[in-house]
Amino acid sequence: MEKPIDELDTQQQQAILKQAWFLIRRDWALKFKATQEPRIQACVEAFRGYCQKIRQEQQEGRKGKIGYITYSMLRTTWLEERPVYLVEAANALWVLDPEPIRFEWDTNWTYSYWTDLQQKLRREVEKQQVSLPELGWEQVMLEAAVHIHVLVVNMMRLVIKKAMCLPEFQKLEREETFEIRVGEYMDHTVSVYKEDRRVMEANEIRSWLEEQEEHAYSYQALEGIQLSDGDYSQLDFRYTAFRQIEIEHSRLHGCVLVGTIWQESQLQGTDFTYSLLHGADFSGCSMRGAILDAVMGNAGYGLDASLDWEPLGFAGVDFTGTSLQGAHFQDAQLRGAVFQEALLQRAFLNGADLTDACFAGADVSGASFEGACLIRADFTGANVQGVIFTDEQRREAIGLECVSPEVSHSWEEPSTFSQARDGVRKRGWLH
């Protein structure tokens, strides 16, 4: 016998919604990735237009410096079959700005995900033998919109990386602290981009980090600070931007560094052992002698359900153009990582999972890949002089077909790194 709607409590509704979301999210990821680039580019172009209009308002004296650009989902528009986001450019007062500049962002392409989710929900409801009247369905689908929204948030992280390079954005007059946030209208939002150009004292930042406040260090922006020779282990820095930071010979053991950006930062000799690096961007940084033993940064979905908060999965770690001479990646999980044009001379990558990694144009001369998984790893145009690859590695990788198995190189692990690695192996995993 079917239960009427009033017997379907909130907990049951959430359980049904969660199950439907679990079953469909990876299908969505594959579906989205097929059209990802044009979707992202269209959003970048829309952002360009917003910036042009904001700048015009500033030049004509109708708007001052901008402190926030906020994308807000309007749930009720989904019921009207025209899902849109309200885009608002506000001053430092943010939601209290009496005259924000407003735009409407058409996200009609997301409606197919809405209908997919609705079909899946109906099947789950039928399994539960629950009867839902039309008004009940409207309420459930309004609640379900949040799952499509997190997909949009995930996409916006990719959009903003490109949008920040636009000259139209750079010309905007912005407050010392500036953020781009995505959320629901007059409700919770998350930061997808942040600038903080206020003068920061290194001692104050160090003291703040030593307090080890839970949830205090994620989604932040730290610029131009000297933090070398410090111990910042076990901290959660997810989606924080580190710009022009000097953090050499420091310890970041077991840190959550998911989605972090390390723009023009100095990271020589820094120890990232056991840290979570999914989607981190180290491109162009100096990381000579850095220790990245047993880090986890695979592209796609994490093996642990607690890492599956990104509906499109995680991007690979980006080491494009990074100086990594003598760096250590013992047993690192870096599937899909990008090492294009990176300098990896005498790097130690033994036992690392480098499936689908890109080493195109990189210099890996004298590096060690003993026991590393190189399935579909791309070495096109890479300098592999003095590297010993097994027959299996040469067969599985791309661009190593002509590498002679007789090529050899005397490679010795620097004793200092060996001692450091042995020491960190005695420490536990991130809890």
Side-chain angles (χ1 to χ4, degrees):
M1 180 177 179
E2 292 186 341
K3 304 174 188 176
I5 182 61
D6 57 359
E7 292 184 21
L8 182 65
D9 60 29
T10 302
Q11 187 174 1
Q12 286 177 299
Q13 291 184 37
Q14 291 302 316
I16 292 172
L17 187 58
K18 184 177 180 180
Q19 179 64 15
W21 169 238
F22 175 78
L23 292 172
I24 204 171
R25 59 186 305 215
R26 298 198 184 199
D27 290 337
W28 282 9
L30 293 174
K31 183 178 179 181
F32 179 82
K33 288 182 186 302
T35 58
Q36 176 173 307
E37 287 308 313
R39 296 286 184 215
I40 290 175
Q41 193 55 42
C43 189
V44 170
E45 291 306 314
F47 185 81
R48 187 197 303 273
Y50 305 152
C51 290
Q52 290 172 336
K53 292 176 182 177
I54 295 168
R55 181 59 182 152
Q56 183 178 351
E57 292 290 299
Q58 291 178 330
Q59 289 176 322
E60 295 176 0
R62 290 191 292 271
K63 196 66 181 176
K65 292 183 178 180
I66 298 298
Y68 295 89
I69 295 178
T70 307
Y71 287 73
S72 300
M73 179 181 71
L74 304 177
R75 284 201 200 194
T76 54
T77 63
W78 289 86
L79 298 178
E80 300 169 0
E81 300 185 11
R82 59 173 203 93
V84 298
Y85 276 68
L86 176 64
V87 183
E88 296 179 289
N91 58 24
L93 295 176
W94 193 13
V95 295
L96 298 180
D97 184 346
E99 296 182 334
I101 303 173
R102 291 190 170 99
F103 310 95
E104 189 176 277
W105 179 36
D106 183 358
T107 58
N108 189 59
W109 57 271
T110 62
Y111 195 74
S112 62
Y113 298 100
W114 168 269
T115 56
D116 285 349
L117 183 56
Q118 187 176 48
Q119 292 171 6
K120 185 69 68 174
L121 276 171
R122 287 189 183 278
R123 286 195 288 271
E124 289 300 313
V125 167
E126 289 173 1
K127 287 181 183 179
Q128 298 287 334
Q129 295 185 323
V130 174
S131 175
L132 283 176
E134 195 58 36
L135 287 177
W137 266 112
E138 286 190 2
Q139 182 59 39
V140 170
M141 291 309 297
L142 284 175
E143 292 295 324
V146 70
H147 292 294
I148 302 172
H149 170 68
V150 295
L151 181 148
V152 174
V153 173
N154 200 180
M155 186 195 78
M156 285 301 296
R157 297 192 198 284
L158 303 176
V159 168
I160 294 305
K161 284 187 176 182
K162 294 186 176 183
M164 295 307 95
C165 301
L166 295 175
E168 291 83 358
F169 171 73
Q170 295 300 328
K171 291 176 183 178
L172 291 183
E173 295 179 15
R174 306 190 296 277
E175 297 282 357
E176 282 188 313
T177 58
F178 169 82
E179 285 191 74
I180 298 175
R181 303 185 68 90
V182 185
E184 296 190 55
Y185 185 63
M186 300 300 288
D187 205 331
H188 176 70
T189 63
V190 296
S191 177
V192 295
Y193 179 81
K194 186 174 183 178
E195 296 175 350
D196 192 340
R197 295 186 299 278
R198 294 173 297 181
V199 177
M200 301 181 184
E201 295 294 333
N203 290 336
E204 292 181 8
I205 299 299
R206 284 178 184 268
S207 298
W208 176 55
L209 295 174
E210 288 171 0
E211 293 173 2
Q212 297 192 344
E213 297 180 40
E214 190 174 6
H215 309 307
Y217 312 113
S218 55
Y219 303 96
Q220 300 299 317
L222 302 177
E223 302 188 21
I225 305 173
Q226 165 60 259
L227 295 172
S228 296
D229 302 304
D231 189 346
Y232 313 108
S233 298
Q234 307 291 322
L235 298 182
D236 186 346
F237 291 107
R238 74 185 69 186
Y239 302 110
T240 286
F242 297 88
R243 301 187 179 96
Q244 299 177 334
I245 297 293
E246 293 184 29
I247 193 167
E248 301 172 322
H249 306 291
S250 293
R251 286 167 54 90
L252 284 89
H253 282 210
C255 287
V256 179
L257 301 173
V258 173
T260 49
I261 296 174
W262 302 81
Q263 186 177 341
E264 299 179 32
S265 292
Q266 303 296 313
L267 302 163
Q268 291 87 224
T270 296
D271 190 344
F272 295 91
T273 301
Y274 295 135
S275 287
L276 303 180
L277 302 184
H278 304 275
D281 185 351
F282 295 96
S283 58
C285 290
S286 179
M287 299 181 71
R288 294 186 300 275
I291 303 173
L292 297 101
D293 291 341
V295 297
M296 294 182 64
N298 289 334
Y301 289 91
L303 297 177
D304 187 335
S306 65
L307 298 178
D308 279 359
W309 65 78
E310 291 288 18
L312 298 178
F314 292 104
V317 184
D318 192 347
F319 294 104
T320 302
T322 304
S323 297
L324 288 158
Q325 296 95 330
H328 272 226
F329 295 89
Q330 173 84 23
D331 299 325
Q333 298 293 309
L334 291 171
R335 279 178 285 174
V338 179
F339 293 92
Q340 190 167 356
E341 305 292 338
L343 303 177
L344 287 146
Q345 299 97 321
R346 296 178 64 83
F348 188 83
L349 298 102
N350 290 9
D353 185 352
L354 299 166
T355 301
D356 294 316
C358 177
F359 291 90
D363 188 344
V364 298
S365 56
S368 176
F369 289 87
E370 182 180 347
C373 180
L374 301 180
I375 297 174
R376 295 183 301 277
D378 187 355
F379 287 86
T380 303
N383 179 3
V384 297
Q385 183 178 3
V387 181
I388 301 174
F389 295 105
T390 66
D391 290 343
E392 183 179 11
Q393 287 175 328
R394 286 186 287 107
R395 285 195 304 269
E396 293 178 338
I398 300 169
L400 296 180
E401 300 87 352
C402 299
V403 175
S404 172
E406 285 78 27
V407 174
S408 63
H409 184 80
S410 177
W411 200 98
E412 294 182 2
E413 182 180 357
S415 60
T416 54
F417 290 125
S418 178
Q419 293 168 3
R421 191 188 72 241
D422 291 342
V424 299
R425 281 177 173 172
K426 297 177 182 178
R427 295 178 59 87
W429 176 246
L430 174 64
H431 295 291

